[in-house]
Amino acid sequence: MIYNKGESFMTEKDVFLTREGLERLENELDDLKSVKRKEVAERIKQALAFGDISENSEYDQAKNEQAKLEERIIKLENILRNAKLIDEDEITTDVVSVGSKVEVLDIEYDEKMEYTIVGSAEADPFLGKISNESPVGSALLGHKTGEEVDVQVPDGIIKYKILSITR
């Protein structure tokens, strides 16, 4: 691919999704296309009714919202086009892989944590779902129960011991 300096481009890469994550994104896309687009179009129509659009903040706000909405729709379509469904029957408990639930022990703080390794599109650290591309997720991939793993994070290195791997 050839591109010019300053030109943005989007690379197509596989996006790993669980069945639940796939359904959530499909539902969001459907809602954006069938409900939110109509709502934003109606706001634009109402703002145009106010007259002169050169100093019409309602119009500007609605157009900005429309741009963000269309950007999200394009992003979701790209994610779904490149989605690779994680087959839960193929998730092994021998080694950490995308789809695994991993219980780890932070050796320094003697603290147990549980993570589910998911694709970047459905990562939610607050729910314990970490991306296979994150520092912790990528460091755990391919390791077995009982192994110690060094994870490079901005603050240094965290040492985890893998306690269990489940689906």
Side-chain angles (χ1 to χ4, degrees):
M1 171 181 265
I2 300 172
Y3 66 97
N4 298 320
K5 185 176 181 177
E7 179 181 327
S8 69
F9 66 96
M10 179 175 250
T11 58
E12 302 282 327
K13 65 176 184 167
D14 290 344
V15 178
F16 296 98
L17 293 172
T18 61
R19 168 88 40 217
E20 174 188 335
L22 179 66
E23 289 173 3
R24 184 178 51 79
L25 293 178
E26 287 173 337
N27 289 339
E28 180 184 353
L29 180 60
D30 184 54
D31 181 60
L32 293 176
K33 286 180 162 183
S34 62
V35 177
K36 300 294 185 202
R37 262 185 179 160
K38 290 177 185 169
E39 290 174 358
V40 171
E42 185 59 34
R43 279 200 285 284
I44 290 171
K45 184 178 171 184
Q46 289 172 352
L48 285 171
F50 293 135
D52 182 14
I53 63 170
S54 64
E55 293 183 23
N56 187 331
S57 64
E58 289 86 2
Y59 176 78
D60 291 341
Q61 195 173 21
K63 288 299 282 182
N64 287 337
E65 187 177 344
Q66 182 183 45
K68 287 179 186 176
L69 174 75
E70 293 304 323
E71 184 178 323
R72 179 67 179 159
I73 287 171
I74 290 168
K75 183 177 181 181
L76 287 173
E77 288 174 339
N78 283 332
I79 289 170
L80 293 171
R81 181 176 28 262
N82 296 299
K84 300 290 182 209
L85 191 62
I86 299 167
D87 185 349
E88 292 187 19
D89 295 333
E90 292 180 11
I91 298 171
T92 178
T93 57
D94 298 339
V95 297
V96 178
S97 61
V98 178
S100 297
K101 288 184 182 172
V102 185
E103 184 180 24
V104 296
L105 174 69
D106 182 324
I107 295 172
E108 182 180 350
Y109 294 104
D110 194 34
E111 183 180 350
K112 290 182 183 179
M113 291 163 281
E114 185 173 282
Y115 298 117
T116 302
I117 311 296
V118 296
S120 59
E122 64 181 304
D124 187 343
F126 296 109
L127 297 177
K129 294 180 177 186
I130 60 171
S131 167
N132 61 318
E133 299 172 13
S134 70
V136 174
S138 63
L140 292 173
L141 289 175
H143 289 279
K144 299 178 180 182
T145 300
E147 289 185 357
E148 291 185 5
V149 178
D150 291 337
V151 180
Q152 183 68 49
V153 294
D155 292 342
I157 294 178
I158 299 174
K159 213 179 215 7
Y160 286 130
K161 181 174 183 176
I162 299 175
L163 302 176
S164 69
I165 303 168
T166 58
R167 297 191 230 193

